[in-house]
Amino acid sequence: EQNDRASADRAEAAFRWRYDLKERLFTQTQSLYYQDDVAGIQANIEQSAALGYKLLSTPGHKLNVGGGGTAQY
């Protein structure tokens, strides 16, 4: 709240799925949905897909790089 008025009334849900193609190569997809009545967003739906590569994977550190695309409805 700001000045006794709601500044956000948002609901959000997301799902991410990752699949290892090889020891260091993976694919990933993510689905996202949200709405915010205060901002006037009735529904925002996004679907993304990517391909990634694990550069570093130790017990204390992980470093991945990748690229992909997103569709927004």
Side-chain angles (χ1 to χ4, degrees), residues 15-57:
F15 174 76
R16 182 181 301 155
W17 180 73
R18 182 177 282 183
Y19 179 75
D20 290 332
L21 297 171
K22 295 187 176 186
E23 184 177 340
R24 292 182 171 251
L25 187 65
F26 63 90
T27 62
Q28 178 173 297
T29 182
Q30 179 170 307
S31 301
L32 171 71
Y33 167 85
Y34 75 87
Q35 68 180 39
D36 188 334
D37 294 335
V38 173
I41 300 170
Q42 294 178 344
N44 181 70
I45 301 168
E46 297 178 17
Q47 180 64 49
S48 62
L51 183 66
Y53 187 78
K54 300 174 186 178
L55 291 176
L56 177 66
S57 184

Side-chain angles (χ1 to χ4, degrees), residues 1-21:
E1 275 187 32
Q2 293 179 345
N3 300 325
D4 296 326
R5 295 183 60 196
S7 58
D9 185 14
R10 185 172 176 155
E12 183 173 337
F15 174 76
R16 182 181 301 155
W17 180 73
R18 182 177 282 183
Y19 179 75
D20 290 332
L21 297 171

